[in-house]
Amino acid sequence: MELETRRWVSRLVQAGLIVVIVLFIGSFFWKRSARVVRGAGSVRVQRETVAPEALGPGDIQIFNSDSTVDLILKGNQVLAGLSPKMVAKIRGEMDKPSTKDTSGLGGMIEQAVKKTVSSAIGTHVVYPVSEIRDIRYEDGSIIIEKPNGGETRLFSNTKVDKNETKGFPEADAQRFIAAVKARKMFASPASP
């Protein structure tokens, strides 16, 4: 084979490997998010971040004490995920130039992984208000009681940036809980 032909074959093999890796990573995240959705009733995952200006009347967004995570009541949904500040910080760290050689196959794989992670970093778990039997505050955490009797403790013992997240300030948490309960009452069909 000529040198030019070998280079093209090498590039095609590299591109094929990148496609395989991206598909592998994508299927991993797809299966993982599907597992979360299957086990949790109508709970789903939303990749789009919620901009504060997108919040309507009665909607609310609160942050934990160190502003690493947020809870949002938007419409008839409660969203839980990393705060915009933390998402920006992580994306900024990922955008920093690498000290390693970023050319060749390793660099292409690194860029593909960074792009995949960057697009998923703002993911929020979405709980429909109709699927919340009750909601309460306990030891810095907000606890959602499910219709089947189970509980979800939001951001309890969660680590962000290798540090355990701090709880929600009680005043903010109580405002959020009151807003969810009001939305739940408003969304419930009237009894005969």
Side-chain angles (χ1 to χ4, degrees):
M1 269 201 219
E2 290 182 31
L3 181 60
E4 189 64 31
T5 307
R6 281 188 268 167
R7 285 183 181 154
W8 277 104
V9 169
S10 173
R11 288 180 187 138
L12 287 174
V13 168
Q14 286 178 347
L17 287 172
I18 289 171
V19 168
V20 167
I21 289 170
V22 168
L23 289 174
F24 176 75
I25 291 170
S27 70
F28 170 78
F29 284 113
W30 176 260
K31 288 177 184 175
R32 186 171 177 177
S33 66
R35 203 173 331 138
V36 168
V37 172
R38 273 197 305 268
S42 318
V43 174
R44 64 180 182 82
V45 176
Q46 173 178 311
R47 288 192 177 221
E48 308 86 41
T49 57
V50 178
E53 54 272 2
L55 298 178
D59 291 347
I60 186 173
Q61 179 178 27
I62 64 168
F63 300 93
N64 66 336
S65 297
D66 58 2
S67 297
T68 54
V69 295
D70 67 356
L71 289 177
I72 302 168
L73 173 62
K74 182 175 187 300
N76 288 322
Q77 300 175 333
V78 171
L79 295 93
L82 291 177
S83 70
K85 173 183 153 186
M86 183 53 70
V87 170
K89 179 181 176 188
I90 293 170
R91 284 188 178 145
E93 291 291 323
M94 290 175 57
D95 289 342
K96 285 183 181 175
S98 177
T99 57
K100 299 181 236 167
D101 180 24
T102 57
S103 62
L105 180 61
M108 291 172 29
I109 291 171
E110 178 184 6
Q111 292 303 317
V113 169
K114 281 184 175 183
K115 186 176 181 182
T116 303
V117 170
S118 181
S119 69
I121 202 75
T123 299
H124 278 68
V125 177
V126 180
Y127 301 90
V129 171
S130 62
E131 294 283 323
I132 298 173
R133 190 180 81 205
D134 196 18
I135 184 168
R136 68 180 190 276
Y137 179 79
E138 188 177 290
D139 297 328
S141 294
I142 294 181
I143 301 167
I144 293 176
E145 293 181 17
K146 301 174 192 171
N148 65 3
E151 291 183 344
T152 299
R153 187 177 288 263
L154 299 176
F155 301 118
S156 177
N157 300 323
T158 303
K159 291 194 177 190
V160 176
D161 218 10
K162 297 181 184 176
N163 299 314
E164 190 165 325
T165 62
K166 301 198 178 355
F168 292 93
E170 187 169 4
D172 290 347
Q174 294 299 349
R175 263 186 327 114
F176 187 83
I177 290 168
V180 171
K181 287 182 176 182
R183 190 69 50 93
K184 187 165 179 53
M185 287 178 56
F186 181 72
S188 297
S191 24

